[in-house]
Amino acid sequence: MASAAAARDRSYIRAGALGGFGAFVESRNGDPAALLERAGIDPRALSAPDMLISFARKGALLENAARELGIPALGLEWALAIPPHFPNAGPTLLLKETTATFGEWIERSMGYWRLQTNAVIPQLVHDPESGVVAIRLSPQWPQPAPRQQMEHILGKIVRLARAALLDGELNPVRIRFRHEEPEETAVHDLLFRCPVEFGAGQDEIVFLAETLARPLCGQATRLEALTDEFLRHRIGLLQRYVPGVSTSTALAIRTVLGTGLCSKEFIALALGSSPRKLQRLLAREGTTYEDVLDSVRKDMACQLLADATAPIAAIAGMLDFASPAALTLAVRRWTGMTPSGYRQIMGPAAEAGSAA
């Protein structure tokens, strides 16, 4: 039991998972910053999607918000309110623009997910006999994740799947939750449109296996429109915005880091340009694509290392480094220290020591 509690305390997730939460709470006359503070989460997380927050505290945040705002199905209602570009799902919709099939998109999205949190591990579980496949979410402790948190995650995945396939009529075969059945399930029926099982052994979404083979229709025009939505969202979170090609490039890179899509070619396409034109425009601002990428990685690495939660290997993956060794070389170049050395000086333990 003690080890499970320790695992919950060490759980983390990128703060981008809170995207849209502030607007949703305000639409229900709530105070999102106050809710975060009461849950033990830094309110800056509402405007800093790249920082890390506690997954367990995020679960407590949603439970508290449901009670305080009087919204019994808050997790699902928030999932229904997410804008079409899904700002709290990272670049998963962007991934579909370079992916051939629904099954491949799920695998790539799960790979991205595993870099963003250590609390819930996604798996694709096949059952050939029944012709179904399940997206299963396995928490790293015995107890079920809080109801609102898990309902929000599964609701968001179902909406994402419909958006990826451009099929608003796509319905799962079944939804399973480990938590017990709530008194009212009307919102479950509205969102999932399939049988929902409570008190199950797993939290999972069950689809027909044939759905995995369905093609995705990646289009450059759609990619550019999606990227524009993400840039607008990121710009809205900035305290100070300096317009320019280098700024747009940096924001686009931040959006896709961790997906393997941060190449000059992909970013140029996402911005409606070509690699040569992008380099030419950046040169006019006195920089290069490589310099912008390096600067973004440096800023994010220093921010993530200053939080003692995520392993060095996970941070390397978040920043699209080929290996932890490559991250170590970069951090040495930026700071003159190893990642662990930088963390010792700049992390929470160092701050607590200096405060004492």
Side-chain angles (χ1 to χ4, degrees), residues 291-324:
D291 286 342
V292 175
L293 173 61
D294 193 62
S295 178
V296 170
R297 279 174 158 170
K298 177 184 177 181
D299 289 347
M300 290 182 64
C302 291
Q303 178 181 351
L304 292 167
L305 287 169
D307 185 305
T309 310
I312 303 299
I315 294 175
M318 291 180 197
L319 301 180
D320 268 332
F321 281 103
S323 67

Side-chain angles (χ1 to χ4, degrees), residues 342-356:
Y342 183 88
R343 174 171 275 173
Q344 282 184 326
I345 294 175
M346 303 301 294
E351 292 180 8
S354 62

Side-chain angles (χ1 to χ4, degrees), residues 143-177:
Q143 295 81 10
R147 171 197 164 184
Q148 303 298 340
Q149 190 168 31
M150 190 53 66
E151 289 190 352
H152 175 74
I153 293 172
L154 265 61
K156 179 170 63 176
I157 292 173
V158 169
R159 283 202 60 211
L160 271 168
R162 290 169 178 156
L165 284 167
L166 300 178
D167 183 359
E169 301 304 313
L170 174 70
N171 298 326
V173 172
R174 183 174 297 273
I175 299 289
R176 293 192 176 101
F177 289 113

Side-chain angles (χ1 to χ4, degrees), residues 17-26 32 35-36 46 61-62 65 74 78:
L18 290 174
F21 178 75
F24 173 77
V25 169
E26 288 173 352
L35 283 167
L36 262 68
L46 290 169
L61 166 69
L62 299 189
L74 179 139
W78 176 24

Side-chain angles (χ1 to χ4, degrees), residues 58-114:
K58 177 175 174 281
L61 166 69
L62 299 189
E63 295 298 317
N64 294 342
R67 287 192 295 270
E68 292 186 28
L69 300 178
I71 309 175
L74 179 139
L76 292 179
E77 293 202 27
W78 176 24
L80 284 166
I82 300 171
H85 63 291
F86 294 87
N88 65 346
T92 48
L93 273 190
L94 291 176
L95 281 171
K96 96 177 190 68
E97 301 303 322
T98 59
T99 304
T101 67
F102 182 67
E104 183 185 343
W105 174 74
I106 288 176
E107 292 284 5
R108 294 182 67 185
S109 297
M110 290 195 302
Y112 176 78
W113 173 296
R114 294 184 189 106

